[in-house]
Amino acid sequence: MAPLKHLLGIEGLNPVAVTNLLDLAESYALLNRSGKTQRDLLRGRTLINLFFEDSTRTRTSFELAGRRLGADVVNMAVATSSVSKGETLLDTAATLNAMNCDLLVVRHNSSGAPALLAQKVGASVINAGDGTHEHPTQALLDALTIRRNKGRLSGLTIAICGDIAHSRVARSNILLLTMMNNFVRLVGPPTLMPGGIGVGGVEIFHDMAAGLQGADIVMMLRLQKERMSGGPVPSSREFFAFYGLDRAKLAHAKPDALIMHPGPMNRGVEIASEVADDPQRSRIKEQVEMGVAVRMAVLETCARSNY
Ligand code: ASP
């Protein structure tokens, strides 16, 4: 596929680029299952994980992905509390430039921080989640999981439920899934719905029964309290009663509908264990597995732009 210097968001990709990334990721999914690696591909390259926000899955899977391709991987610990964000980023950019890093994976609580860094460093910048803006590798791994299970990535009805307003995962998924001609439904209370989002192939529902009716995929999102101001949700118990996914609500979706969640899950708040752990319906573990494969594909594709 055509080289990609940075991956800052799904915005800016097209269906061919998405399909090529998923095809490459699929080949890595098979390689990973076989227990083999490709350690010659990124040998001599340096990957820096620069996480200004906590992460379990994303940071670990970028690290694994880099190592499986043979890169030298460094995790940089960053403290954000005492320095203003602008200064931190620009100082960090100067430091990273001096280190000649090839691939820079960035997570930041400010939307747009990876794009700013991309202007200041020589490395390829990969957005690992910025504020409420985008989380492109999550949308790609979700797309790969859907495609493997449904045999296609178009014409599907996908309900994204819960805290849409504060979710970069929702934003990247809406962009990717509508680009690939799916029907996207956003389901949640009005207080957790961002303004101006009900356009172009996206429908909004405030009721789970209506929103899940006939859905092929039910994607649940956590209440991202760290990004909330005021109290958009009365209580976790009440939220679960209206919007938490359990067997009764899932029954409105298609009988073979699959459950997804980007993690971390809050059991008993947005999702019940009875559905999260249902091996027939839940694809949450497969999402984590596909995360490594997708990140290998993204790292390879970005690294090629620097050859
Ligand atoms: N892990 C995802 C993110 O970083 C989802 C979440 O935190 O709820 O956006």
Side-chain angles (χ1 to χ4, degrees):
M1 77 174 276
L4 189 70
K5 172 75 184 171
H6 305 291
L7 179 67
L8 301 175
I10 297 299
E11 196 168 13
L13 296 183
N14 57 40
V16 174
V18 168
T19 306
N20 287 341
L21 278 170
L22 297 184
D23 290 348
L24 185 58
E26 177 65 41
S27 70
Y28 280 128
L30 299 176
L31 188 83
N32 288 342
R33 281 198 179 172
S34 77
K36 295 193 188 115
T37 51
Q38 275 268 19
R39 294 205 195 274
D40 46 331
L41 218 73
L42 296 187
R43 178 161 296 139
R45 304 295 185 108
T46 305
L47 183 162
I48 297 187
N49 265 327
L50 183 63
F51 278 61
F52 293 84
E53 253 188 17
D54 290 343
S55 166
T56 315
R57 277 155 294 270
T58 306
R59 196 185 55 71
T60 315
S61 63
F62 267 113
E63 187 172 345
L64 267 180
R67 288 190 199 283
R68 283 190 187 161
L69 296 175
D72 297 321
V73 183
V74 179
N75 293 314
M76 252 178 94
V78 199
T80 46
S81 52
S82 55
V83 197
S84 85
K85 281 164 195 155
E87 280 170 354
T88 307
L89 265 186
L90 297 182
D91 288 347
T92 309
T95 308
L96 295 171
N97 260 339
M99 287 177 182
N100 290 325
C101 128
D102 301 287
L103 295 152
L104 182 61
V105 177
V106 186
R107 168 167 289 192
H108 202 284
N109 54 357
S110 291
S111 302
L116 179 65
L117 270 176
Q119 293 170 19
K120 305 283 176 193
V121 296
S124 287
V125 175
I126 297 155
N127 181 2
D130 62 331
T132 55
H133 176 230
E134 281 226 41
H135 192 351
T137 55
Q138 178 71 47
L140 288 164
L141 74 88
D142 290 343
L144 183 60
T145 307
I146 294 171
R147 197 177 77 167
R148 304 182 105 222
N149 282 279
K150 294 290 175 189
R152 65 188 202 279
L153 188 60
S154 62
L156 296 167
T157 298
I158 296 148
I160 307 178
C161 311
D163 182 3
I164 315 286
H166 302 98
S167 176
R168 53 198 178 204
V169 174
R171 225 183 108 73
S172 289
N173 264 309
I174 293 165
L175 290 167
L176 191 154
L177 295 168
T178 54
M179 186 204 299
M180 304 308 278
N181 292 320
N182 295 286
F183 308 100
V184 175
R185 298 179 182 172
L186 305 180
V187 191
T191 46
L192 294 179
M193 222 33 102
I197 207 151
V199 285
V202 179
E203 275 186 290
I204 292 181
F205 294 83
H206 300 306
D207 173 65
M208 285 288 272
L212 263 54
Q213 196 65 49
D216 296 288
I217 305 284
V218 182
M219 219 180 253
M220 300 308 298
L221 298 171
R222 173 178 73 93
L223 291 173
Q224 290 138 88
K225 293 200 170 134
E226 72 276 21
R227 300 203 184 93
M228 292 179 188
S229 54
V233 187
S235 76
S236 299
R237 220 172 56 187
E238 199 171 337
F239 183 81
F240 182 74
F242 286 97
Y243 294 104
L245 188 69
D246 54 12
R247 280 206 193 288
K249 294 194 191 77
L250 183 62
H252 296 282
K254 283 197 180 144
D256 62 349
L258 298 176
I259 303 157
M260 298 173 68
H261 194 306
M265 275 190 282
N266 286 320
R267 292 166 184 265
V269 182
E270 77 277 5
I271 191 161
S273 289
E274 63 181 11
V275 289
D277 301 331
D278 178 344
Q280 306 297 322
R281 313 292 291 275
S282 173
R283 289 298 174 272
I284 297 170
K285 287 196 185 115
E286 189 174 340
Q287 285 175 272
V288 179
E289 182 189 354
M290 291 308 121
V292 179
V294 153
R295 285 161 184 138
M296 288 170 86
V298 168
L299 292 177
E300 180 189 334
T301 305
C302 289
R304 283 191 192 284
S305 76
N306 297 329
Y307 284 156

